[in-house]
Amino acid sequence: MTDSARIAVLFGLSLPAVGCALFAVQPPTPASHISPAELAALEPQPGVRHYLIVFGSDKPSRNPAYTHTWATLVTTTDVPGGPPRVGEETISWLPVEMPIQALSRKTVPGRNYGLHETMRAMLDTKQDVALWGPYEVWHRFAYRFRVQKSFMESGAVGYQCIDSWGEAGRTGAGCDCIHSITDMDPEISRVGYPLFLYGQPASARLVRRVMNSPAPIDPLTTHDWLLPQLALKQYPIDVCTYRGPVAGHCRR
C-alpha cells in the first residue's frame, strides 16, 4: 500500500471515531449570527451584481493532504459606456506551512490564500480541480460571505484538517477548509457538512446546500462569461454542472 493510500485509509477510519461534530467547539464567527433585521436593512446597490463559484480539488488517491475546497465571490459593477468592472474575493483556508498534516490533532497557523495563489498551489501538487458556477447570488449572501472572510482573516482562528477533534474540537481555535466557508451557514451546523466528504465531493455537497438555500438567483443558470474575466481559462479546470434539487427561487 502506498503512503498516500495508507493516509487516506487512516483518515477515513479516524472520522467515525471523531464522532464529534455534535460536541466540537465551533469558532465564534459572526457570519452565522447576522440578525434578520440587519439583513433586511441591506439594500442592493444599483448596477452591482454578485456571483458565487465553488471549487474543489483532489487526487485519485484521495489522500486528504492533497484535497481542498474553496469559494470565490465575484462582484460586477456597471460602468457607463463600457463593460462592467469585475472583482473577486476568495475564502481559501489552508495552513501557512504546507503540506497539510491530515491526522494532526493540533491547530497550526492558517492563512486565507488568494484565488490564483490557490489554483497554482493545487495544480503544482498535481491535483484535479473542478468548479461549479458562477451562480448569481443575492446581495445579502454577499454580505454574509464578506463577514466570514473578514473573520477568517482576523487572526482569531488557525488551521486543522480534522477540526472536530484535538485542539480545534476542544477550543474552537482551528478550522478546516470546508468549515471556513460553511460556518457562515445560519441554518445548518457542521453536522450537515460531514468530513467523510472532502475534496471535490465536499465542494459538491456545498453547492447542493447553496442551491437549497435563499442565496441564488435563478440557480440553474451559470454565468460563464465571468471565467475569462477572472483569468480562469488558463487553467485545466473541470467545469461541473449541478443537476440536483433546488429550492424555490425568484428570478431577478
Side-chain angles (χ1 to χ4, degrees), residues 4 55-70 92-95 98-100 113 117-131 159 177 198-201 203 235-238:
S4 291
F55 298 85
S57 66
D58 51 33
K59 288 185 171 185
S61 67
R62 299 291 294 149
N63 182 342
Y66 298 99
T67 66
H68 191 37
T69 291
W70 70 104
S92 175
W93 193 243
L94 288 162
M98 301 282 271
I100 294 168
Y113 286 62
E117 185 181 22
T118 303
M119 288 297 310
R120 290 190 294 269
M122 300 307 108
L123 294 174
D124 285 349
T125 52
K126 311 301 182 185
Q127 295 184 45
D128 298 321
V129 178
L131 71 76
Y159 178 89
C177 63
Y198 57 95
Q200 292 190 24
S203 302
Y235 303 116
I237 303 175
D238 183 14

Side-chain angles (χ1 to χ4, degrees), residues 18 39 73 77 102 124-125 222 230 240:
V18 178
L39 285 177
L73 177 72
T77 305
D124 285 349
T125 52
T222 58
L230 296 169
C240 300

